[in-house]
Amino acid sequence: MNPSRRASVAKAQAGATLLVSMVFLVMLTLIVISAMKMTNVNTKVAANLQTQQEANAAATQGIETTISSDFTAMPTANPMTVDINDSGQAGSAYSVNVEAPKCTYIKPVKLSELDPANTDDQPCYASGAAQNTGIVGSGGSGNSLCSNSNWDVAATAKAPTSAASSATTHQGIAVRVAVGAAC
C-alpha cells in the first residue's frame, strides 16, 4: 500500500474513536441516572411503608388505651396523640382519633355455660333468694345475671409528617356485662 493512501485511511478513522467513546459515555451516563432514580424511588417506598406501619401501631395503641378502661359504661370517642418512638420531639406524635366503641350484639349467658370454680363466672350466678325477688335475668329462662357483648372499636391515625397519610384499624372485643346493659 502506498504511503499517501495509508495517510488518508488513518485520517478517516481518527474521528471514529472519538464517536464510539462518546456513545459509550452517553450510555454509561444513562445507566447511572437510571440507577439513581431507582434508588430514590425505593427509598421513598420504604419511607412510606414505615410511616404506614407506624400509623397502624399508633392506631392500635389508641384502641388498647380505650379498651383498657371501662368503655362499655359510656362509649365515647377518644382523640389522643401517640409518640410512637418515644422521642418526645415536636412533630413526631401521631394524631389518633378513636371512634366511640359500637356494640355489635349482646347475648345472655346461660347458667349451664358458667363454671362455678371460675371467679369471673361467680358474680353471674343468681342465688335461690334472688330468683324469688324478681331480679331481671334470673327467672326460669335459664339465663344468668351476665351477658356476653361484642364491640367494634375503630381508630384512625394520621402521620405528623404528612396530612394525607393515615391508617384506620378495627378491633373486635368481647366483654361480659350485666344483663340489661345497653348495647
Side-chain angles (χ1 to χ4, degrees), residues 45-105:
V45 167
N48 287 340
L49 184 59
Q50 179 181 355
T51 301
Q52 182 71 26
Q53 292 298 323
E54 286 178 354
N56 279 331
T60 301
Q61 186 174 345
I63 289 173
E64 294 295 326
T65 301
T66 299
I67 65 174
S68 66
S69 65
D70 185 19
F71 66 92
T72 61
M74 186 177 240
T76 57
N78 188 12
M80 63 182 72
T81 56
V82 175
D83 188 2
I84 201 71
N85 58 5
D86 290 330
S87 68
Q89 296 174 349
S92 68
Y94 283 73
S95 172
V96 179
N97 182 30
V98 180
E99 296 175 14
K102 296 175 184 80
C103 182
T104 56
Y105 79 90

Side-chain angles (χ1 to χ4, degrees), residues 139-165:
S141 65
N143 292 341
S144 71
L145 295 176
C146 295
S147 295
N148 287 329
S149 62
N150 281 1
W151 296 78
D152 177 48
V153 183
T156 302
K158 294 188 188 218
T161 55
S162 170
S165 179

Side-chain angles (χ1 to χ4, degrees), residues 21 23-24 30 46 49-50 69 79 86 90 112 118 120 134 138 168 172 182:
S21 307
V23 167
F24 280 125
L30 291 175
L49 184 59
Q50 179 181 355
S69 65
D86 290 330
S112 61
N118 186 347
D120 292 335
S138 63
T168 301

Side-chain angles (χ1 to χ4, degrees), residues 26-44:
V26 167
M27 287 176 37
L28 184 63
T29 303
L30 291 175
I31 290 171
V32 169
I33 289 172
S34 174
M36 286 175 47
K37 284 186 178 184
M38 189 79 111
T39 301
N40 287 342
V41 168
N42 288 341
T43 302
K44 288 177 184 178

